[in-house]
Amino acid sequence: MTTVQTLESKQTETLPKLRPITSEWMKELARKPELLKELTSKFGSPVNIHSLLNFEENRSAFKAVFEEYGLRNRIFYARKANKSRAFVKRAGEIGAGVDTASFRELEESLELGLPSERLVCTAAIKNEELIKLAVENEVIVILDNEDECQITQKVAEELGKKARVGVRISGFKHKGKKLYSRFGFDIDVAENFITEQFGKSNQYKDLVYCGLHFHLNGYSTAERGTAILQSVELAKKLKSNGFRTDFLDIGGGILINYLESKKEWQEFKNRLKDCISGESKPITFNNDGLGFYLLNEKVRGKLATYPYFNELNTTNFLREVLDFENEAGKSASQLLKEENIEIRMEPGRSLLNQAGVTLAKVAFRKQDSRGDWLIGLEMNMSQMQSSSADFLLDPMVIYNNPNPEAEPIEAYFTGAYCLERDILLKRKIALPQKPEIGDFVIFVNTAGYMMHFFETQAHLFNLSENLAISKNSGFELEDFVQDKLIR
Ligand SMILES: *Cc1c(COP(=O)(O)O)cnc(C)c1O
């Protein structure tokens, strides 16, 4: 076969699919275009819809793992992953905790009825106002640096209260190297720092040391496992100095799986590389390599997105962390149990797995000068934006007038910001039929970080409305509760 023939045969290939795992409640929504019309008429487009039952299930599944291992435990929902009040309220109702990352997150969680022992403040920046709110309400503050210790001591003294604190640590050794983090105290100095500065007669006499905390970047179970082992070692040393570690908080970052098929995931990556090398015609807007690039006629780099397909995910990911063994063959969970240390965890994304979708209305269809179809949606790029290179899930398209005989088309979805780059998904998507104005697109599994984290109000667009449902089937318009009405 000549090169030209290969090229031609590839060019007639269909677009790679990335079918998302889609819960029943999402499929039911997609079967009800009339309801979607009512929802968008009443609440605008886009509108975010959240299932509180899926959130509860995710929490129960993690909880069951800890119970199975016989560990004292507490799960804090990292609410920075989604702005809705509904999840916070529900966390309170089911006995879960909430991890707060700002003054307003903490204030609102208190207002929504979370008791102090089920709140924690891990904010990356903690000013005096935030620390005061936490100490007044007896919420544990996770200290990141000495300046925070000083402010917390000052606040506690002024309030005439003791401040319960955890100490964030980092710099764990893994495979002979230190894991860098901009957060926390270096584990090598933490022992001295805590024993010398905290407690009765010392500088931070009003700070009550309660536990240790870490949150690691990336998704390595071995790194998390070894971080637990090293934290327990530190806790033992602290114990011999009279400082009891009641809890170890292992942060978040539990992998989830977004996609149905490993094969599709592999094929997509291979195809993208072929596009970058020019062997295949583009499948992304402007032939964006999403991290792959061409150098000296070779494809380099790696996919710079979230790893959307993961065989090891959620509870099994957690199990692998807890099973991680030290050189003597003792597992992280055994050591925690021996030391009677409560395990705490702050999952964000993984508690929101399958708990949200973004619904938007089709505004126009057009062909650009390259002949590509563009489907304009009533939403903008900030309303479904990944912190990684792109969100790689096929959306659902809901047709008001489905036609089995229709011609399939390939299209990009575009948004309302006046930027050439407001392309909602960088991938070109194959559709069975050209959407019409007023048809709907549902982006699946967007609750964790996708819908709110980067949302802006450029052009004076309103922020999207958030709705919550407490049942997963048979819903009607009245079942969708507006987030701002949740008290
Ligand atoms: C972001 C963050 C979390 C939550 O991380 P996920 O990846 O959403 O699970 C938990 N704890 C801290 C300190 C964080 O910064």
Side-chain angles (χ1 to χ4, degrees):
M1 223 198 286
T2 70
T3 333
V4 176
Q5 274 168 330
T6 320
L7 194 70
E8 275 172 1
S9 67
K10 280 217 166 135
Q11 289 197 344
T12 57
E13 274 176 31
T14 52
L15 289 172
K17 281 192 171 43
L18 288 173
R19 287 170 303 139
I21 296 170
T22 309
S23 291
E24 259 322 301
W25 71 269
M26 302 171 181
K27 290 180 187 157
E28 178 163 335
L29 266 186
R31 286 193 295 267
K32 296 187 160 171
E34 279 308 312
L35 178 64
L36 303 183
K37 196 179 286 175
E38 288 174 336
L39 286 168
T40 48
S41 308
K42 189 161 174 196
F43 303 110
S45 170
V47 56
N48 300 312
I49 302 170
H50 300 102
S51 161
L52 299 179
L53 292 185
N54 284 58
F55 173 75
E56 278 183 41
E57 276 169 25
N58 294 333
R59 187 251 180 185
S60 304
F62 284 137
K63 185 102 185 143
V65 173
F66 288 140
E67 305 284 327
E68 177 193 315
Y69 280 76
L71 291 167
R72 271 203 301 135
N73 65 84
R74 179 152 279 167
I75 297 170
F76 295 80
Y77 159 54
R79 66 164 304 188
K80 70 167 189 226
N82 185 295
K83 290 198 292 196
S84 301
R85 302 161 66 88
F87 292 123
V88 176
K89 176 90 183 174
R90 187 55 59 100
E93 288 163 356
I94 62 178
V98 176
D99 164 29
T100 62
S102 71
F103 183 90
R104 280 188 59 204
E105 282 195 6
L106 177 55
E107 184 184 48
E108 206 179 82
S109 303
L110 287 161
E111 280 166 15
L112 288 166
L114 268 289
S116 51
E117 71 275 12
R118 281 202 263 127
L119 286 167
V120 63
C121 173
T122 61
I125 299 287
K126 306 179 191 76
N127 62 10
E128 200 172 313
E129 200 189 8
L130 169 58
I131 291 174
K132 193 166 169 222
L133 182 68
V135 176
E136 258 172 353
N137 289 285
E138 288 161 24
V139 170
I140 288 189
V141 179
I142 302 297
L143 297 169
D144 173 85
N145 58 67
E146 284 208 46
D147 283 344
E148 282 184 5
C149 296
Q150 283 183 15
I151 300 170
T152 310
Q153 169 59 35
K154 174 172 168 270
V155 166
E157 219 168 296
E158 282 168 9
L159 292 171
K161 280 186 102 111
K162 296 284 176 200
R164 301 181 68 226
V165 301
V167 175
R168 182 161 179 171
I169 48 175
S170 62
F172 301 100
K173 271 175 226 80
H174 183 60
K175 295 188 173 159
K177 269 203 252 166
K178 264 172 104 66
L179 299 174
Y180 173 78
S181 169
R182 77 177 176 97
F183 296 105
F185 290 85
D186 192 302
I187 184 157
D188 297 332
V189 305
E191 183 196 352
N192 267 341
F193 177 72
I194 294 168
T195 40
E196 283 175 18
Q197 306 293 340
F198 286 57
K200 281 202 181 77
S201 55
N202 303 320
Q203 195 181 358
Y204 303 131
K205 62 182 171 39
D206 295 314
L207 307 192
V208 182
Y209 166 78
C210 300
L212 297 170
H213 175 285
F214 65 77
H215 171 72
L216 302 183
N217 212 9
Y219 300 103
S220 157
T221 53
E223 287 179 6
R224 280 178 178 70
T226 196
I228 295 180
L229 298 179
Q230 290 168 49
S231 301
V232 173
E233 285 312 307
L234 172 59
K236 282 187 187 169
K237 289 186 207 153
L238 290 169
K239 187 166 72 177
S240 65
N241 290 317
F243 290 86
R244 154 112 187 101
T245 300
D246 184 54
F247 68 81
L248 172 64
D249 187 332
I250 65 168
I254 309 285
L255 270 180
I256 66 172
N257 180 25
Y258 285 91
L259 296 174
E260 287 277 359
S261 158
K262 182 179 188 172
K263 188 160 162 275
E264 285 180 359
W265 179 237
Q266 290 299 347
E267 282 173 0
F268 166 73
K269 286 192 280 188
N270 291 335
R271 182 70 171 279
L272 187 59
K273 285 191 242 178
D274 289 346
C275 297
I276 301 315
S277 67
E279 277 175 72
S280 184
K281 66 174 180 178
I283 58 167
T284 54
F285 196 74
N286 291 339
N287 205 21
D288 191 325
L290 305 176
F292 292 119
Y293 60 94
L294 203 61
L295 186 72
N296 301 330
E297 288 168 39
K298 273 216 170 90
V299 179
R300 320 267 169 132
K302 59 180 187 204
L303 192 67
T305 67
Y306 183 86
Y308 290 97
F309 182 83
N310 295 292
E311 260 157 337
L312 186 70
N313 60 67
T314 57
T315 49
N316 286 333
F317 182 98
L318 181 58
R319 280 199 178 85
E320 205 169 280
V321 173
L322 296 173
D323 290 340
F324 190 85
E325 289 178 353
N326 67 10
E327 274 145 26
K330 269 205 181 156
S331 71
S333 68
Q334 271 174 306
L335 287 164
L336 286 166
K337 221 160 30 180
E338 276 178 19
E339 294 300 313
N340 189 23
I341 297 173
E342 176 169 284
I343 188 156
R344 297 187 169 189
M345 180 165 80
E346 300 157 351
R349 186 192 300 264
S350 54
L351 283 185
L352 297 171
N353 190 18
Q354 296 294 321
V357 299
T358 300
L359 165 66
K361 207 159 91 180
V362 173
F364 69 73
R365 307 82 40 87
K366 71 185 261 192
Q367 250 174 324
D368 66 11
S369 57
R370 294 173 186 147
D372 282 325
W373 278 101
L374 306 179
I375 310 295
L377 300 186
E378 291 185 32
M379 69 182 280
N380 66 65
M381 59 192 276
S382 78
Q383 294 172 316
M384 204 206 44
Q385 187 149 313
S386 172
S387 61
S388 71
D390 202 15
F391 186 57
L392 296 179
L393 278 60
D394 292 349
M396 299 196 273
V397 178
I398 296 94
Y399 300 94
N400 287 307
N401 303 301
N403 173 9
E405 252 104 75
E407 283 283 310
I409 69 158
E410 297 179 346
Y412 292 108
F413 293 99
T414 67
Y417 279 1
C418 61
L419 302 168
E420 290 290 354
R421 68 189 171 87
D422 192 347
I423 306 296
L424 297 165
L425 299 172
K426 295 200 175 78
R427 287 170 58 229
K428 191 186 257 188
I429 305 290
L431 302 173
Q433 164 180 353
K434 187 167 73 183
E436 290 170 359
I437 296 171
D439 283 347
F440 298 101
V441 176
I442 294 179
F443 299 99
V444 170
N445 213 355
T446 53
Y449 297 105
M450 299 299 167
M451 55 173 68
H452 295 149
F453 206 79
F454 294 101
E455 191 181 12
T456 53
Q457 287 184 289
H459 309 53
L460 286 184
F461 283 118
N462 288 328
L463 295 175
S464 50
E465 287 269 359
N466 294 292
L467 309 174
I469 44 176
S470 292
K471 57 180 177 182
N472 272 355
S473 62
F475 26 70
E476 293 166 21
L477 191 60
E478 297 73 57
D479 297 320
F480 294 77
V481 180
Q482 248 178 309
D483 199 65
K484 56 187 169 205
L485 301 182
I486 286 169
R487 291 278 177 274

